[in-house]
Amino acid sequence: MPISAPESSGRLLWAALLVAPLAAVLYQFPIQILNPRAPEPKAAPATAAMNAGAELELEYDMPGVLRVHKSGRVERFDGVETVPPCPSGDPANGVASKDVVLDPAANIHARLYLPSAVAATEPGKKLPVVVFFHGGAFFVHTAASPLYHRYCASLAAAVPAVVVSADYRLAPEHPIPAAYDDAFAALKAVVGACRPGGAEPWLAAHGDASRVVLAGDSAGANMAHATAIRLGKERIDGYGGKVSGVALLNPYFWGKEPVGGEPTDAGYRGGFERAWEVICSGKFGPDHPYINPAASPEEWRRLGSGRVLVTTAEHCWFVERARAYAEGVKACGWDGELQFHEAKGEAHVYFLPKYDSDTAVKELAMVADFVRRC
């Protein structure tokens, strides 16, 4: 099918954005370039040359981030760097960290963060628990990525809190809803571990199950929302159907039709839709509540928390969605407290690469204050 002139110009826009100054946070941005695929012969010998040709054909390409070959092989170029935990405490922030398996049966892994001073001097002190889901467009990054290791350690120190940075299965090898299932399993494992005699020592000693906050950035914020909705519907045995708070940091939401001042260019919007198609393997459309909560506003009334923080940035690709989300939650009849913050002059998840900027430091303090009040 030939590409129309408007669509072609839209794809050129995507390419231009790759070299924009916002490249520092591009790993969050759903960009795609489709290579046309020639028809496959009905009968052909399985030669090495032909296999090599198939390997070179791309099913999906997010330049500089991820490449999916027609053969099924996935290459990741971003979010692959990792840093080790600091079990004895990091002198830079005063926070100890370690990698744990929260739920062996479900294969749920996480990196835990605990302020060292609490562990050393107040062995029985209970702290709020932040269950954090990293961003990366559902495609890339882990709890051990340097950006997220730094952010979660900083948040643990600022509150202070036990932060549980949960890993989850990534697309496209594990399409949505795999990440959502892992997120809910992580929450169940955390609240279980916070009980007396829990399997994880840091959570058993310091985790306050009555003060659990779901949080995440970008795709991770999308997951925090979905987890809170699922909690409100299904509840957790012995725990209930509500956490103390939900913090959505620059949430990744989208939809078929433009909202507010979103671009209307077909090529631009098609890039986001194609990314979502790959993330969910085509199972859920661009207006499914997973990606467009506004499509089912009645679900907001069942949000499993009485406090929600929504942050965004003036130049975030999803700023209009965050604004609409905040207004929609307030208007739907949900009985709770909503806090909204928009960072002026900043881009999507700016607080990760620009962590030491005045704006990022102030936003971290605001998130920490929200957790303390939950």
Side-chain angles (χ1 to χ4, degrees):
M1 181 177 178
I3 297 175
S4 65
E7 185 176 355
S8 176
S9 65
R11 299 206 188 285
L12 289 175
L13 171 62
W14 289 93
L17 284 170
L18 289 173
V19 295
L22 300 180
V25 291
L26 191 57
Y27 64 89
Q28 301 278 5
F29 191 35
I31 297 175
Q32 59 86 33
I33 297 176
L34 288 176
N35 285 3
R37 292 185 288 177
E40 295 183 11
K42 292 184 178 179
T47 64
M50 293 186 68
N51 288 339
E55 172 66 12
L56 291 174
E57 290 189 33
L58 296 182
E59 182 72 24
Y60 179 78
D61 189 12
M62 185 182 284
V65 178
L66 170 132
R67 184 180 293 156
V68 182
H69 293 264
K70 183 182 174 183
S71 66
R73 186 167 69 94
V74 177
E75 293 180 281
R76 288 180 171 84
F77 308 104
D78 191 42
V80 295
E81 183 183 356
T82 62
V83 293
C86 303
S88 60
D90 186 343
N93 50 43
V95 173
S97 55
K98 64 178 178 178
D99 293 333
V100 302
V101 180
L102 289 173
D103 183 341
N107 198 30
I108 304 298
H109 295 246
R111 179 164 290 186
L112 269 58
Y113 299 85
L114 176 67
S116 302
V118 173
T121 64
E122 301 178 87
K125 184 175 182 178
K126 293 292 186 178
L127 299 173
V129 179
V130 179
V131 181
F132 185 89
F133 307 114
H134 67 79
F138 294 99
F139 286 137
V140 294
H141 284 285
T142 69
S145 296
L147 288 172
Y148 291 106
H149 178 77
R150 180 191 298 117
Y151 184 83
C152 289
S154 298
L155 182 60
V159 177
V162 182
V163 174
V164 181
S165 183
D167 271 320
Y168 53 89
R169 288 171 290 173
L170 298 175
E173 300 96 327
H174 304 283
I176 292 298
Y180 297 136
D181 291 339
D182 289 352
F184 196 67
L187 174 62
K188 291 171 69 175
V190 167
V191 298
C194 289
R195 294 167 181 155
E200 205 305 299
W202 284 5
L203 288 170
H206 300 289
D208 186 346
S210 69
R211 299 179 66 197
V212 175
V213 174
L214 292 168
D217 75 294
S218 195
N222 175 303
M223 292 172 61
H225 161 81
T227 304
I229 292 291
R230 184 169 175 178
L231 178 64
K233 292 178 178 179
E234 297 183 13
R235 307 172 68 84
I236 294 175
D237 289 343
Y239 180 74
K242 282 191 174 185
V243 289
S244 296
V246 179
L248 309 181
L249 313 179
N250 291 206
Y252 168 29
F253 297 132
W254 197 245
K256 185 71 175 178
E257 298 300 323
V259 169
E262 281 181 351
T264 58
D265 178 83
Y268 180 94
R269 302 194 67 80
F272 286 94
E273 291 180 24
R274 175 57 180 154
W276 177 248
E277 183 181 24
V278 175
I279 290 165
C280 69
S281 193
K283 294 180 181 178
F284 308 104
D287 281 328
H288 190 279
Y290 282 158
I291 188 65
N292 184 11
S296 297
E298 66 278 1
E299 287 197 340
W300 281 333
R301 291 193 292 272
R302 303 179 69 179
L303 189 70
S305 180
R307 294 185 182 90
V308 174
L309 167 66
V310 180
T311 77
T312 188
E314 183 180 9
H315 303 304
C316 174
W317 293 292
F318 314 117
V319 61
E320 296 287 0
R321 299 284 162 173
R323 292 167 179 165
Y325 180 98
E327 291 302 317
V329 168
K330 288 189 291 186
C332 76
W334 170 73
D335 183 20
E337 170 193 332
L338 185 133
Q339 181 179 348
F340 179 80
H341 171 75
E342 183 174 322
K344 301 302 181 184
E346 299 292 355
H348 186 57
V349 297
Y350 75 96
F351 48 82
L352 294 176
K354 297 170 63 176
Y355 61 92
D356 56 352
S357 68
D358 288 346
T359 307
V361 171
K362 290 177 182 177
E363 183 158 329
L364 176 67
M366 180 191 63
V367 175
D369 181 66
F370 173 80
V371 174
R372 280 193 296 270
R373 291 186 293 105
C374 286

